[in-house]
Amino acid sequence: MKKLSNVLTVRSTMFATVSVLVILAALIAMGLLTPFIVRVSTGEEILLDAAYFNLRAALPTLALVILLTLCLLIGSAGKKESLIVLGLGTAGSVLSVAFSPFSSLPVNISFPLLAAAFFAVIYRLLSSKEKTLKGTLRKTGSHIVHLGVVLLLIGIIFSTSMKLEDSAVVPLGEAGTFKSMGYSIQVTDITSGIEGEPYGGYSGSAYVSTINFDVYKWGQPFDSGQIRYISDFKWQQSYTETYIHRGLLEELFVAPKSVDTEAQTVELYVRKVPFMTSLWGGFYLMVLGVLVLFLSDYLAGKESSREDSLSGTHSSERGSQVNEYKNENKNKSESKKKRASKKNV
């Protein structure tokens, strides 16, 4: 039986990380393709919500976070230190489940492990030292990608597990309170009418209800917004224009589900999603890291072409020197032959 120190190497952990990533991508691809396959084969429409993907991707995602932590720390901090960090993250998960600081079990389990992975990325980023610019860019770019992956996972787990949503019918001039989210929305104006180019027997192409409202957070004025409920005559369908407020820690989404123009009421759908900034920030960091890697490859290619050019110049110079040496020897030998022939005469 092999020792743990022989099995736990950078090469083996990197291979395991890539394998888990491939499995996770396959699971997500299967979920995305299933509705299409069912519709083509049976003609039925099915919808796979976030719960379907969360259930199947939870364990591979946790395994990916653990392997990412090991892969980052083994090569820089050492095997013993990397296992200590991973052990602290695992112990933190156990304590988090026991005391439940968050309102979601997936978040309680994953947050300490994600914190350990975040520490590993920052440690590796700060400890990497390269003498050349291209080496610095390559190391920095790869670690920026890793940091983006961790932030992306934090955003996905928090946003899907701690999302809150509710709906309420709110009359004009009154406020709807959504206590679990800490928000209340007061409808200040409802105007309705036909808009757009004439269509058929109508003076416009759609009947539009515009709702203006004020948002209060924990009883304090927060923001004002506008939403629209549109009934399209041409396409025989209804759609909405929504309100979205993106903050550092959460995103607030408001949309009209229905509007009663006679009673002057609107049914509001409200959703609060935490840590969306982490999700988008992680995505943009991954893009930035890839661009840095492309830049390092470009500089490496440019340097290699310059070295090839210099080596070619040196080779041509050596070749010319060799030719000159040969010609010189040839001339000397010919002059000796001429002198010998004169003596014989």
Side-chain angles (χ1 to χ4, degrees):
M1 185 176 181
K2 292 184 178 181
K3 294 182 178 180
L4 180 62
S5 59
N6 295 332
V7 176
L8 195 62
T9 62
V10 175
R11 186 182 182 88
S12 62
T13 52
M14 188 174 294
F15 175 76
T17 302
V18 174
S19 301
V20 173
L21 187 60
V22 170
I23 294 173
L24 183 61
L27 290 173
I28 295 174
M30 288 174 60
L32 294 174
L33 290 175
T34 298
F36 173 75
I37 295 173
V38 171
R39 184 177 62 182
V40 171
S41 58
T42 64
E44 297 182 2
E45 295 283 348
I46 64 172
L47 178 63
L48 301 180
D49 56 6
Y52 173 88
F53 292 96
N54 291 342
L55 181 63
R56 287 157 178 79
L59 290 179
T61 301
L62 284 179
L64 183 63
V65 172
I66 292 171
L67 290 170
L68 178 63
T69 305
L70 289 174
C71 190
L72 288 171
L73 290 178
I74 286 176
S76 56
K79 299 177 182 180
K80 182 179 179 180
E81 289 76 5
S82 61
L83 290 175
I84 290 175
V85 173
L86 184 59
L88 290 174
T90 305
S93 295
V94 174
L95 293 174
S96 181
V97 171
F99 293 99
S100 188
F102 303 101
S103 59
S104 171
L105 180 61
V107 176
N108 289 330
I109 295 174
S110 59
F111 183 72
L113 291 173
L114 286 169
F118 184 81
F119 168 80
V121 173
I122 298 300
Y123 177 83
R124 187 68 182 270
L125 183 61
L126 295 177
S127 62
S128 60
K129 297 179 181 179
E130 294 291 333
K131 296 181 179 179
T132 61
L133 177 60
K134 64 177 182 179
T136 302
L137 289 175
R138 174 164 287 279
K139 289 288 185 180
T140 303
S142 62
H143 297 328
I144 289 175
V145 172
H146 293 147
L147 182 60
V149 170
V150 174
L151 290 177
L152 186 69
L153 291 174
I154 291 174
I156 291 173
I157 292 173
F158 270 83
S159 62
T160 57
S161 302
M162 301 184 68
K163 176 180 68 177
L164 297 174
E165 53 187 350
D166 198 0
S167 61
V169 177
V170 183
L172 175 63
E174 298 184 14
T177 302
F178 306 89
K179 292 183 179 179
S180 61
M181 307 180 200
Y183 289 99
S184 58
I185 298 176
Q186 182 179 11
V187 177
T188 58
D189 185 46
I190 300 177
T191 57
S192 301
I194 296 178
E195 297 182 5
E197 297 293 329
Y199 174 77
Y202 300 100
S203 58
S205 59
Y207 188 79
V208 182
S209 295
T210 303
I211 302 98
N212 295 307
F213 57 88
D214 294 330
V215 182
Y216 296 85
K217 185 175 183 179
W218 304 115
Q220 301 298 320
F222 178 72
D223 196 13
S224 297
Q226 183 184 91
I227 52 179
R228 286 155 61 94
Y229 188 87
I230 303 168
S231 299
D232 195 288
F233 300 138
K234 181 178 181 180
W235 302 106
Q236 296 296 312
Q237 63 181 5
S238 297
Y239 56 94
T240 63
E241 292 182 2
T242 61
Y243 162 89
I244 301 177
H245 183 277
R246 292 184 174 91
L248 181 62
L249 297 179
E250 63 186 23
E251 177 183 283
L252 179 65
F253 176 90
V254 182
K257 294 181 69 173
S258 63
V259 179
D260 190 334
T261 55
E262 294 183 359
Q264 289 288 281
T265 61
V266 55
E267 184 178 5
L268 295 176
Y269 168 77
V270 181
R271 182 176 70 230
K272 184 177 81 168
V273 185
F275 281 85
M276 287 298 292
T277 304
S278 175
L279 191 151
W280 289 112
F283 173 76
Y284 290 129
L285 278 178
M286 290 175 64
V287 173
L288 176 62
V290 171
L291 291 177
V292 172
L293 289 175
F294 280 145
L295 179 60
S296 68
D297 289 340
Y298 170 76
L299 293 176
K302 200 171 180 181
E303 183 175 338
S304 119
S305 64
R306 186 168 61 249
E307 290 176 354
D308 292 341
S309 175
L310 290 173
S311 65
T313 303
H314 292 325
S315 298
S316 62
E317 290 178 352
R318 286 195 297 269
S320 63
Q321 290 175 357
V322 170
N323 291 332
E324 290 177 358
Y325 179 75
K326 289 181 177 179
N327 292 331
E328 185 178 350
N329 291 336
K330 185 177 180 182
N331 292 333
K332 287 181 179 179
S333 63
E334 288 178 354
S335 62
K336 287 181 180 179
K337 288 180 180 179
K338 288 179 180 179
R339 286 196 299 270
S341 64
K342 288 180 180 180
K343 288 180 179 179
N344 294 330
V345 171

